[in-house]
Structures are given as C-alpha cells and as structure tokens.
C-alpha cells in the first residue's frame, strides 16, 4: 500500500510538471509569434516593453476559400485581408492588434 501511494503521488507530481511545461511552451510560442506586433505598439505609443504581455495569437482564413467547420486552430473571417490577431495584456486592459496580408498593423488601443 505504501508503494502504491508513493507511485500515485509521484505520478501526480509528474503530471503537474508536464502541465506547467505545456503552459510555458504555449506562452513562449505566443510571445515569439507576436514580436512584430509588440514592436508596432512600442513604436506607435511609446509603451514600455515590460508592460506588454502577449496572451493570444490567432491566425485567420477568409471564409470563402476554406471550410470553416473543419478548422481546429485557425479561425474564419469575413474580411479577406485579415491575417492575424494578437491580444496583449497591458495594465488592466487588453489591446488587440490586427495584421493584414500586406503586413500592416492596426489596433484598438485608446490612449488615456
């Protein structure tokens, strides 16, 4: 019985560590893909780099050229020029940055 409890606790610890590793890997992936959008916000609004944290990265496909019901990771859009949407945490609000097919950025940030 004692070996079973030790094995069970060890398995739980390994599972928790794997979950933490997966979360860290996800946020590293999001940060890496959002670097250009982050630089855009820093240059445009002179925001401190340490205050921005990328929390979401979404790739869009125009709905006329894709079967939207079969997409798992990408999302459909009715805008043919929309390519990516990046969401950043900044202080108490979220900033969405949109990238079109030409590489131009727009955002929804309102300076106060």
């Amino acid at each position: 019985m004692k070996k079973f409890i030790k094995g069970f606790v060890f398995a739980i610890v390994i599972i928790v560590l794997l979950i933490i590793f997966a979360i860290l890997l996800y946020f590293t992936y999001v940060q890496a893909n959002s670097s250009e959008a982050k630089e855009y916000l820093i240059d445009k609004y002179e925001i401190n780099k340490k205050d921005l944290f990328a929390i979401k990265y979404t790739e869009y496909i125009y709905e006329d050229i894709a079967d939207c019901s079969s997409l798992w990771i990408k999302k459909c859009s009715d805008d043919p020029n929309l390519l990516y949407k990046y969401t950043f945490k900044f202080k108490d609000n979220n900033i969405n940055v949109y990238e079109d097919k030409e590489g131009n950025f727009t955002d929804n940030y309102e300076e106060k």
Side-chain angles (χ1 to χ4, degrees):
M1 185 71 171
K2 196 173 184 181
K3 277 188 171 183
F4 174 75
I5 293 174
K6 277 186 177 181
F8 184 72
V9 170
F10 183 71
I12 296 293
V13 168
I14 294 297
I15 290 170
V16 168
L17 288 174
L18 287 174
I19 291 171
I20 291 171
F21 180 71
I23 291 169
L24 290 174
L25 194 63
Y26 170 76
F27 279 115
T28 301
Y29 171 77
V30 170
Q31 292 293 329
N33 284 319
S34 303
S35 61
E36 288 183 29
K38 188 175 191 175
E39 288 299 321
Y40 160 79
L41 287 174
I42 291 168
D43 292 342
K44 184 174 181 182
Y45 298 109
E46 297 179 2
I47 296 173
N48 187 350
K49 191 175 194 174
K50 295 177 184 175
D51 293 337
L52 283 174
F53 183 72
I55 57 173
K56 191 174 180 185
Y57 158 78
T58 308
E59 186 174 353
Y60 286 93
I61 294 182
Y62 185 48
E63 63 188 9
D64 284 353
I65 61 172
D67 180 16
C68 294
S69 63
S70 67
L71 297 177
W72 289 17
I73 298 173
K74 300 176 184 180
K75 292 193 177 183
C76 279
S77 170
D78 57 353
D79 182 0
N81 292 321
L82 181 62
L83 192 57
Y84 299 110
K85 175 184 171 188
Y86 310 95
T87 304
F88 292 93
K89 184 76 173 164
F90 178 65
K91 296 185 180 176
D92 290 336
N93 52 353
N94 291 341
I95 302 172
N96 292 322
V97 178
Y98 305 93
E99 183 179 355
D100 64 14
K101 290 185 179 181
E102 282 94 41
N104 300 319
F105 293 101
T106 55
D107 62 81
N108 69 342
Y109 179 63
E110 295 177 13
E111 289 184 282
K112 295 178 182 176

